[in-house]
Amino acid sequence: MNLQTLFGIIKNRLYRVIKGPVKYAKKIGVNVKGNLYIYGRVSWSTEPWIISIGDNVHITDGVKFITHDGGTLLYRRLIPDLEITKPITVGDSVYIGNNVIILPGVTIGNNVVIGAGAVVTKNIPDNSVAVGVPARVIKTADEYLEKLKRESLHLGHLVGREKDAELKKIYHYEGKSKGIYW
């Protein structure tokens, strides 16, 4: 690695920390069409400009967008110009759980939840919940919402210490932890 490359890596990491992950995504070319919420570190692959993100998209820690097939490197000695690179499209109102991997050419529809740890190898249709390796649709978004309503603790309007205090009451926590907000 040469000095210029090292300087570029350091500069990008500083930009991500100082300006925040959403501004960083836009700076490197991710096509963001609305409100984007990033919780943690996201890997945007080596061709971020072919990734399109809709409105009201929530991306959590460890998510990886992979826009190319690195396996082509094995065969370039036989076919020097071999290249597989495809865009990734994420629709509106999408939640992508921790450590999800999204592979080249995938389109994730609108109103979709991708469960933690999933590997998205093919398109996910609108109004669905997909989980697993490879990711598969397990229910509709409406079925998921009904489950959320049944199981809700009704604390979503609270944040930080206030939410922690209520959770401690619900789960009868008597320890000394002050949580992460103190």
Side-chain angles (χ1 to χ4, degrees):
M1 178 181 323
N2 65 31
L3 195 56
Q4 186 176 2
T5 302
L6 182 60
F7 179 72
I9 291 169
I10 293 169
K11 185 173 91 174
N12 279 338
R13 286 187 182 167
L14 282 172
Y15 188 94
R16 187 181 324 181
V17 169
I18 294 167
K19 298 289 188 175
V22 174
K23 285 186 178 180
Y24 174 74
K26 291 177 181 178
K27 176 187 182 285
I28 62 171
V30 176
N31 300 287
V32 179
K33 297 189 171 83
N35 292 313
L36 172 60
Y37 307 93
I38 298 175
Y39 312 97
R41 184 134 183 200
V42 175
S43 175
W44 295 107
S45 198
T46 53
E47 301 84 18
W49 53 89
I50 60 173
I51 300 171
S52 296
I53 307 289
D55 184 33
N56 190 34
V57 174
H58 298 258
I59 302 174
T60 60
D61 191 47
V63 171
K64 292 183 180 184
F65 291 83
I66 301 174
T67 56
H68 59 273
D69 185 339
T72 59
L73 296 173
L74 292 177
Y75 303 100
R76 284 206 183 136
R77 61 185 166 76
L78 302 172
I79 308 167
D81 64 350
L82 191 62
E83 176 69 28
I84 303 294
T85 299
K86 298 178 183 177
I88 296 172
T89 302
V90 177
D92 297 337
S93 297
V94 173
Y95 176 87
I96 303 173
N98 283 19
N99 300 312
V100 167
I101 299 172
I102 303 169
L103 295 182
V106 165
T107 295
I108 297 173
N110 299 316
N111 199 32
V112 170
V113 174
I114 307 293
V119 177
V120 185
T121 61
K122 61 183 180 178
N123 294 347
I124 304 297
D126 291 349
N127 302 310
S128 58
V129 175
V131 300
V133 179
R136 63 182 175 79
V137 175
I138 60 165
K139 61 180 77 175
T140 68
D142 290 337
E143 291 168 333
Y144 180 62
L145 177 58
E146 290 306 312
K147 177 183 183 283
L148 294 175
K149 287 180 188 176
R150 284 192 310 273
E151 297 180 9
S152 177
L153 298 173
H154 301 285
L155 302 177
H157 63 292
L158 303 176
V159 295
R161 294 177 186 176
E162 191 178 20
K163 187 173 183 178
D164 278 359
E166 290 303 312
L167 285 169
K168 286 176 182 180
K169 287 179 195 173
I170 289 170
Y171 293 114
H172 310 291
Y173 179 76
E174 297 178 13
K176 295 182 181 179
S177 172
K178 293 185 177 181
I180 64 171
Y181 303 105
W182 296 83

